[in-house]
Amino acid sequence: MSLDLYVHCKSSERLMTQQVFDALAARQIGATLFEDYINYNPAPAGPLKFCTILGWMPTSFDHARLNEILRHGDKKQQLKRLFANEVIAYANVEGHRATDYYETFGDDYPDSLAGEIDRHFLDFIKSAKTVYEIQTSTGRSDLSWRFQMALCCAIAESVDGLIEEPQMGEYFFPKDAEKHFRGFAE
């Protein structure tokens, strides 16, 4: 089962790929953004639409080593080994217009959440213009799950957003994330 986290944001302006990179660097997380997870082509600079992000602790890995791996024909096998050994982590991020995202849950969403979540969270969701989905797939490592949480927090802090953890039905702001998420470097 994939695990998804969401960040609801009141701004319609998309987060820029460089902002994501900078937010992770500020958390002492090395990262590279790719437009796909098949060929690992670099993500274009500009507004965040969809990307796969590889992350690592700078004490155990670096960009130079990743670039060397990506230049070789057996990059899939080498990356698979690094994922399995929890040297690198990954998460996919996709930005959606909030109205498009909410329509996938039916015409009455987010009104259907009334009585299910705190009023201040519901009001925030109703005023959201953008939703960022941060996802890992089945078979993810513990490191990828922790990276996904750190990435979600970095995005939420960057856009002053509301985090949704749908598996547990929790909503919280970045300042409260430590109560809900473990740290990436654990």
Side-chain angles (χ1 to χ4, degrees):
M1 167 175 92
S2 68
L3 286 175
D4 300 325
L5 298 170
Y6 300 94
V7 175
H8 303 265
C9 166
K10 290 184 178 184
S11 175
S12 60
E13 299 231 356
R14 293 281 173 97
L15 193 60
M16 303 300 271
T17 53
Q18 186 64 45
Q19 288 174 290
V20 174
F21 179 82
D22 292 344
L24 288 170
R27 291 175 162 264
Q28 306 297 306
I29 299 171
T32 300
L33 287 72
F34 299 95
E35 69 179 358
D36 66 84
Y37 51 85
I38 307 287
N39 298 312
Y40 290 96
N41 294 320
L48 184 64
K49 295 176 184 166
F50 175 85
C51 66
T52 294
I53 304 176
L54 299 185
W56 58 84
M57 297 308 301
T59 56
S60 63
F61 198 74
D62 60 33
H63 282 282
R65 188 168 168 203
L66 180 62
N67 289 338
E68 182 67 24
I69 289 168
L70 294 176
R71 279 195 292 269
H72 289 90
D74 64 345
K75 64 184 170 191
K76 294 283 187 196
Q77 195 62 28
Q78 288 189 50
L79 288 173
K80 185 177 179 179
R81 191 172 328 117
L82 292 170
F83 290 132
N85 292 333
E86 296 197 344
V87 174
I88 61 173
Y90 81 95
N92 298 314
V93 178
E94 187 167 4
H96 305 273
R97 282 188 30 213
T99 54
D100 295 340
Y101 169 75
Y102 298 148
E103 282 178 4
T104 64
F105 296 103
D107 294 336
D108 63 343
Y109 192 87
D111 290 326
S112 66
L113 297 174
E116 300 290 320
I117 65 173
D118 288 344
R119 181 73 187 171
H120 67 285
F121 296 145
L122 180 59
D123 291 342
F124 193 100
I125 289 171
K126 285 182 173 184
S127 64
K129 302 283 189 267
T130 306
V131 176
Y132 296 96
E133 178 180 6
I134 302 95
Q135 183 265 336
T136 56
S137 65
T138 304
R140 78 203 139 274
S141 67
D142 187 56
L143 184 68
S144 286
W145 172 234
R146 291 192 325 262
F147 175 65
Q148 179 184 7
M149 291 184 281
L151 175 59
C152 179
C153 289
I155 290 171
E157 289 167 355
S158 297
V159 298
D160 196 26
L162 172 67
I163 298 170
E164 176 185 358
E165 203 282 57
Q167 287 77 215
M168 299 301 291
E170 295 179 321
Y171 295 82
F172 48 94
F173 291 101
K175 68 179 177 58
D176 299 318
E178 291 298 320
K179 295 177 196 172
H180 299 274
F181 291 157
R182 295 187 334 238
F184 178 58
E186 285 183 349

